[in-house]
Amino acid sequence: MTTEARMPDLGPDELDRRVTEVAGQVIAWRQHLHRHPELPNRESATAKLIEDHLRSLGLDEVRTGLAGHGVVGVLRGGAPGDRVVALRADIDALPVEDLCGVPFASRTVDQDYPGGPFPVSHACGHDAHTAMLLGAATVLAGVRDRLPGTVLFVFQPAEEGPPVDEQGGALQMLKEGACDDPVPTMAFGMHVAPFPKGAVGYRVGNQFGASCLIKIVITGRQVHGSTPWQGIDPMPAVGAVLTGIGQLYRQITAFDPITVTIGHIEDVGRFNIIGQTVTLWGTVRCSVEADMTQVQKRLSTLVEHTAQAYRCTGTTEYLQDVPAVHNHREWVAAALPTFRRVVGEHNVARTPPTLGYDDVSEFVNEYGGLYVLLGVQDLEFDSEGVPTPTEGGRGMAFNHNPHFYVDDDTLATGVRLHAHVVLDHLNGSLLPGT
């Protein structure tokens, strides 16, 4: 009589052991990506690194060229189960100088990017996101025979927004069928943030706000600077529009935070020429998505009528709409036990509202699931639960700041979160209503 050898059930402890084994490689990936950042829709080398590693894992399928440089790896588990988790990481960098002070800091300058040249850095932490998801793919591929379902590893380009005359980002990936086969039953991701190292921050409701890109064009009539009365100067109209924008928040309920920010102004001319047009680029952010239409209408009215008051014309376009990242209460409740198992109950905390945005919302809205923050900086919770700088640490530096930094030792925690969420969803313990 013979007894067949039976593989042990897959559990959290084995996942954690495998994460420990890959942690050094995750740090190496992150440091390489940090040193070699690429701007939205230009992530060719980053995509090649991702593709090469996913193929080395022997996944069932590796899809490339999605929305430009998007990559999706498909891992079908060997155990019975029909649930599907989509794990998402963004891969693009920012036109921001790197002043984070590490030996592997970026010195990259993109000479050809529209509007450039620009210094380029991972000042938002997407290098960490990419490295953590590569680590999760490695861990989960190593236990594929016991996975009761399927995992999609979704590496998304252009989260920061592609150039305005190009397509890209999460919505474009979905349009191109990135997750059509199989269709996810849950989407999950995380964003590194100035939060205590290894802590998970979550919010019921909007984890991130709704966003759109603004293009405002004020048009006058060009003339020499010595004879302004012979033309129409658009600059005074621009100044009045900027002043008016600062009062828009007073036209929306004070209990729904909004912001309208103009980050870039373009004029065509020189010091002694009154130019024909001035273009303002900016963003609208709304904590309550339903307010977006009202804010846009009021901004368009402000631009049009203010320009007319200065004998100019004004037009406003709204581009690259991104819906809010909304964590439904049922998904949060289902995931909290997983988060607490990974980082400890004292390290799982609610976060305040933010007007930041992330187009991971396209995945979460389409398939369900949730998006959370992972703390990666030298901070600690004070007696009120507020993150404060740790004595002797590197302090707090926000995303998109040239000094933003990530503590490499926290990357393994992100890999564990990915792996544990996958295991719990596929085995049925992380589901709304359970």
Side-chain angles (χ1 to χ4, degrees):
M1 182 176 178
T2 60
T3 303
E4 287 189 13
R6 181 178 179 275
M7 290 290 289
D9 291 336
L10 179 60
D13 290 344
E14 181 171 353
L15 294 179
D16 290 347
R17 177 180 62 78
R18 290 177 177 269
V19 170
T20 300
E21 292 172 355
V22 78
Q25 181 61 63
V26 173
I27 292 173
W29 280 321
R30 186 258 162 167
Q31 293 186 0
H32 172 84
L33 292 167
H34 191 89
R35 192 187 297 272
H36 303 286
E38 295 173 299
L39 290 172
N41 275 10
R42 305 295 187 271
E43 312 94 334
S44 56
T46 302
K48 185 64 166 60
L49 182 152
I50 294 165
E51 177 189 354
D52 288 349
H53 183 65
L54 295 184
R55 292 195 187 282
S56 76
L57 297 176
L59 301 187
D60 296 270
E61 188 178 353
V62 178
R63 305 167 186 161
T64 62
L66 294 158
H69 298 294
V71 181
V72 175
V74 182
L75 176 64
R76 300 180 188 275
D82 57 5
R83 297 188 186 92
V84 181
V85 181
L87 300 178
R88 178 272 201 173
D90 35 17
I91 68 175
D92 56 324
L94 286 163
V96 173
E97 186 179 5
D98 192 340
L99 300 178
C100 69
V102 296
F104 49 91
S106 169
R107 299 293 177 260
T108 299
V109 176
D110 191 317
Q111 299 287 348
D112 303 319
Y113 205 75
F118 293 113
V120 186
S121 75
H122 274 293
C124 199
H126 297 183
D127 52 339
H129 302 170
T130 302
M132 292 187 297
L133 189 52
L134 286 171
T138 306
V139 168
L140 294 168
V143 295
R144 64 186 305 165
D145 55 332
R146 287 173 285 162
L147 277 180
T150 301
V151 188
L152 304 181
F153 305 102
V154 181
F155 294 87
Q156 179 211 311
E159 186 277 330
E160 300 291 352
V164 292
D165 58 350
E166 299 178 16
Q167 299 295 316
L171 182 59
Q172 188 63 28
M173 286 195 81
L174 291 178
K175 287 180 178 178
E176 295 181 16
C179 301
D180 284 356
D181 182 23
V183 175
T185 54
M186 176 188 185
F188 176 75
M190 68 193 83
H191 204 301
V192 294
F195 211 56
K197 288 190 291 190
V200 171
Y202 72 94
R203 183 170 177 77
V204 175
N206 287 354
Q207 184 76 60
F208 288 92
S211 169
C212 73
L213 185 153
I214 316 163
K215 179 184 180 182
I216 298 171
V217 179
I218 306 294
T219 303
R221 186 169 71 239
Q222 185 166 319
V223 70
H224 194 280
S226 65
T227 57
W229 60 88
Q230 292 180 351
I232 301 175
D233 189 350
M235 285 298 185
V238 169
V241 167
L242 292 173
T243 299
I245 284 174
Q247 294 297 307
L248 283 177
Y249 77 95
R250 295 169 63 88
Q251 301 176 40
I252 306 296
T253 172
F255 300 101
D256 294 351
I258 66 139
T259 185
V260 181
T261 298
I262 301 299
H264 184 58
I265 300 177
E266 296 175 353
D267 178 28
V268 179
R270 65 194 303 270
F271 72 96
N272 63 345
I273 295 176
I274 292 173
Q276 182 92 354
T277 63
V278 180
T279 303
L280 291 71
W281 297 93
T283 183
V284 178
R285 303 296 175 88
C286 296
S287 59
V288 176
E289 196 164 347
D291 289 337
M292 181 64 75
T293 299
Q294 185 179 177
V295 174
Q296 290 179 346
K297 180 180 178 180
R298 293 178 184 275
L299 177 57
S300 296
T301 300
L302 169 71
V303 169
E304 180 182 352
H305 290 278
T306 302
Q308 288 176 357
Y310 290 86
R311 298 193 302 136
C312 296
T313 60
T315 62
T316 309
E317 294 181 71
Y318 302 102
L319 311 168
Q320 299 183 3
D321 291 317
V322 176
V325 180
H326 190 84
N327 288 334
H328 287 280
R329 184 176 302 277
E330 296 80 8
W331 277 105
V332 172
L336 283 176
T338 303
F339 298 157
R340 290 167 178 153
R341 184 177 70 233
V342 172
V343 302
E345 185 157 359
H346 65 290
N347 268 334
V348 178
R350 293 179 182 267
T351 59
T354 176
L355 291 173
Y357 88 93
D358 194 307
D359 67 354
V360 71
S361 55
E362 302 288 359
F363 296 101
V364 174
N365 291 354
E366 182 72 17
Y367 305 118
L370 67 166
Y371 197 62
V372 298
L373 302 182
L374 174 64
V376 292
Q377 294 190 356
D378 296 332
L379 310 174
E380 58 190 3
F381 293 115
D382 66 12
S383 59
E384 303 297 323
V386 177
T388 56
T390 303
E391 186 175 353
R394 296 172 62 184
M396 179 183 291
F398 285 90
N399 307 72
H400 290 220
N401 184 296
H403 298 278
F404 178 78
Y405 71 94
V406 172
D407 186 290
D408 282 338
D409 290 341
T410 59
L411 299 177
T413 302
V415 180
R416 291 182 63 219
L417 278 170
H418 277 312
H420 284 237
V421 165
V422 166
L423 178 63
D424 287 356
H425 182 66
L426 295 186
N427 68 23
S429 60
L430 199 170
L431 287 171
T434 60

